[in-house]
Amino acid sequence: MSDAVRQIKEKLPLLDILQEYLDFTQAGDSWKARCPFHNEKTASFHVTPAENVFYCFGCHRGGDLFSFIQEHENMTFKEALVMLAEKAGVILDGQIKKPSTNSEKLLALMRHAADFYHRQLLLDSEVKQYLVERGLTEATVRLFRLGYASTTWDSLTTFLKASSYTEQDMLDVGLIIARKDAKGGYDRFRNRIMFPLNDPQGRVVGFSGRIFDARVENKEKAGGKYINSPESEFYDKSSILYGYDCAKKSISYEKSCIIVEGQMDLVMAHQANTKHCVALSGTALSERQLTLLARSATKLIFALDADSAGSQAVTRSVLATLEKDLDVAIVQLPVGADPADVIRTSPETWHKLLEKPLSYITWKCRDMRNSDARTLRSILIRDVFPALLSMKSPIILERALQEASTHSGYTFETLSKEFRTWQSNNKDALESFEPISDSLSSKALTLDDTSSDTSRIGTSSKESRLITLSNLIHLAKQRTESNENPDDVVVYAEEILSRERADWRERLQEEPRALIETHMMYGNAPLKHIFQSIREVTFIIKRDILTQQRNNLHIELRRSADMPERRNELLTSIQNIDSQLISLNDLYHRE
Ligand SMILES: [Zn+2]
């Protein structure tokens, strides 16, 4: 283990870091939580603080702080190292800290661009005034590093060139647009309020720019209300959720996430202290976004303005959410208002609305009250049935059918029958929603159910017995740290183990499952029991080693029929092993 890795692990105990993401309860000398890597109702994700390892008995993921961060934040080892070093205050040697690859250089460029835009905004009183009128505080502006891109064609380009970035670098991340008939390019974002788009680790990977109306001279040439960075090596529209980096802790804590539509809605929501909130930015929730949210939330609360709430993108997002077995709730906003408007006028109203969101079915059925049979049926077929189809749990489905029955006035039986008929007749409808069910086959759900009990004593191979033995010795030593006279069984076992697996101490953490299982089985057991198990495993290992040696000698003996001297040697060795086996038996049966 490198020095930096060891230092980081010492400074950042695994459980402390994981508590930022998960809700733990204590179980013996371990802690357990619902696994962030697969969907589950009961906790099978275990952490043993004494060992700084985790293991999930559901999806068999396990490891140390670094493997957790790599998996959870989707980082390479190097990225995790840099992030954790920063968190721990451990200085890495220059090689890693300095941007050594082109990707790191481009990420640094994006950060510099965000800083530049942010400074421009802080210097511009008119833009600042505009944001204040929209309800933003300066603290929020700073927190989200909002910026301003001026009306000129080259202010960013000039600034970045002065920081020794090339125009090719800027083209690569889409900050400039190539000129058609000349070399180089010009700033993509001009006269725009800039929202840096961060990845889940908070690194700037793109921008969204909202036009600053007050300085628009020519409406036709000004471009769209919003323009975004083009997709690049770092910026993949379908995986970035605006605000997620700031929201992730609160989402884990609240176990739910509010979905808003625009960047302004998001920064206002955070300002109103509803921090478990992310923004969609005009597209439907993608599978990757949903998987990310499903790791820590069990419920998504959609707070969208009335216009967009009926859109295809929202419907698809809701259905995909239901398919993931997450609860869906809808916050009904006043007509014509978006979350930013509501919060600016009255944060209290916003909080009240969030207190009693509607279920999706109730929300879809809200217009049923005074409808004629024809309209009723069309609402059922267009809005309600597709949602029912996405519900995998029979309990949830039944509850939803009951709700729909209450709203529509049809009996539960009639409605169920109607739904089943629609389901079997309407193959087209089924097929059009098929791509969403594909989204379930996410990486996080690839379960490996071949869980063999290889670490249990007596049922396993030599290799896994050695693992068990190293864990038991390790545990016994932890427990007897102050004990100056270690049990002779431990001394003997350690001798055998070290001969077979000289590096067993370094390899302990490579088997998090065995380590955690040992803690679960022996964490609270009397030391006597641990010694007894060590005695048993050692006996079996030693017996197997000797038996194997004895078998080999016998094979050689058969082959050396015409070599009397060799035969005598071999016979002596066999006798020697036999006496070792006898004394081993004595040792084992001695109390
Ligand atoms: Zn798991």
Side-chain angles (χ1 to χ4, degrees), residues 48 51 53-55 57 454-456 463-464 466-472 474-475 501 507-522:
T48 306
E51 311 294 354
V53 293
F54 71 92
Y55 185 79
F57 289 90
T454 44
S455 65
R456 296 282 151 86
E463 180 59 17
S464 55
L466 288 172
I467 293 169
T468 305
L469 185 60
S470 55
N471 286 322
L472 285 167
H474 170 71
L475 196 64
R501 251 173 105 110
R507 289 172 63 179
L508 276 171
Q509 291 209 333
E510 287 172 19
E511 296 286 347
R513 175 186 182 147
L515 204 48
I516 283 177
E517 275 186 340
T518 312
H519 272 274
M520 287 167 75
M521 286 167 77
Y522 295 99

Side-chain angles (χ1 to χ4, degrees), residues 35-38 40 44-45 56-61 447:
C35 178
F37 302 124
H38 81 280
E40 62 172 3
S44 24
F45 183 92
C56 171
F57 289 90
C59 65
H60 307 295
R61 282 181 175 78
L447 298 189

Side-chain angles (χ1 to χ4, degrees), residues 7 11 52 85 87 107 111 130 146 180 231 266 284 318 361 373-374 409 420 446 467 485 498 503 521-522 530 546:
Q7 281 179 35
K11 292 202 174 165
N52 266 327
K87 205 176 173 97
L107 282 168
R111 199 176 60 241
Y130 165 81
L146 303 190
K180 282 203 181 78
E231 297 211 334
L266 180 115
V318 168
I361 299 293
R374 215 185 141 90
R420 299 290 168 216
T446 50
I467 293 169
N485 301 312
S498 299
D503 59 344
M521 286 167 77
Y522 295 99
I530 301 179
L546 290 172

